[in-house]
Amino acid sequence: MKRILSGVQPSGHPHIGNYFGAIRQHIEMQKNYECFLFIADLHALTTVHDAKSMREQTYELAVAYLALGLNPKKTVFFKQSDLSEHTELCWIFDCIVKMPFLERAHAWKDAQEKGKKDPTVGLFNYPVLQAADILLYQPDLVPVGQDQKQHIEMTRDIAITFNTTFGETFLIPEPYIKEEVAVVLGTDGQKMSKSYKNTIEIFAEEPELKKQVMGIVTDSTPIEKPKDPSKCNVFNLYKLFATEKELKELEKKYIAGGFGYGDSKKLLLKTILEYFGEARKKYKELLPKKDYVYSVLEDGAKKAKLVASKTLSQAKKNIGYI
Ligand code: ADP
Ligand code: TRP
């Protein structure tokens, strides 16, 4: 059976971009793959600097995955900071990765271009830790959204450099990116991202969710005029949920005119609430079950450690430490 691995940062609330770009694939692939999935709380430390947010967001992300269908009997589900192997292998990679290679990373270049004051070493080193996360588990595929493609390519380069320097150690993984949902756009038409505050959150309370959907940016075409669905953020989001038939129906209404953006937003909100209805119910039920949720992560960490420590030992042997 082929193996997959992926991680999501607990840096905010999970949104529908995370879901269609990554989470849905993680859940679906449980059927046919051996799955490793973790909460990337070490990566989140590049932006989250208070204990309450770190603890709550980590917990809520764990509950979100369980509510969306992660089965802990099928997927090894854990928290990155529970394993020392990730940071240990990160240091090893630091000693073979060249600075100019990391300077090419999009996230770093972005920080430079936006004139981010005093970027941390952690932000610079982010892709190296991600390479360690991945390579420790020798996965065949890494299911992610388009924005992570470069990180997976860098991971492949780092694995090849290590293997040629110290001998065959790591499997070279492939990214797994679903074209049609590779980049889900947010309420302002940019890529949906926690850092742009343009998200529609899967588990937000109904009034908040309504605010997010009603806040989707649209043009000023008056109600009675025909509208171009392909240029509308609401229509593009509706596409993620609708069947061919439902989509055609909405398209007709746009083209006919007499149908306002407010109407399509109401339809989108209703559709989101229906689509995630089960999961939202389960989320509420699971939220107070702290013992259960933490036990899932602890159990996952034990299973993950067996695999990660074996790979790390092999790397250390090949380096000459043991
Ligand atoms: P964010 O950008 O909101 O901080 P993360 O970096 O935590 O999201 O991403 C978690 C996963 O969700 C990654 O695999 C990422 O590629 C995917 N993802 C995030 N935003 C989107 C999006 N707008 N469209 C598709 N996939 C996305
Ligand atoms: N950088 C990823 C993101 O922001 C999160 C991540 C950390 C990850 N380590 C990983 C994803 C390993 C896949 C594999 O979404």
Side-chain angles (χ1 to χ4, degrees), residues 5-9 11 18 26 38-40 43 80 86 126 129-131 133-134 142-145 147-148 151-152 155 194:
L5 169 129
S6 197
V8 181
Q9 292 188 71
S11 50
N18 296 143
H26 303 158
F38 66 93
I39 299 179
H43 279 105
Q80 189 187 21
H86 292 237
Y126 188 110
L129 179 60
Q130 185 158 345
D133 296 338
I134 298 172
V142 185
V144 282
D147 59 349
Q148 295 300 309
H151 286 152
I152 315 303
T155 297
K194 287 163 226 156

Side-chain angles (χ1 to χ4, degrees), residues 3-6 34-38 75-76 78 137 304 307:
R3 181 179 288 178
I4 65 159
L5 169 129
S6 197
E34 189 188 358
C35 299
F36 287 77
L37 188 87
F38 66 93
T75 292
V76 178
F78 61 101
Y137 299 91
V307 179

Side-chain angles (χ1 to χ4, degrees), residues 47-66:
T47 54
V48 182
H49 284 177
D50 78 284
K52 186 167 175 279
S53 304
M54 183 65 89
R55 202 167 283 123
E56 282 177 6
Q57 287 166 189
T58 300
Y59 182 74
E60 284 168 16
L61 186 57
V63 174
Y65 259 99
L66 293 167

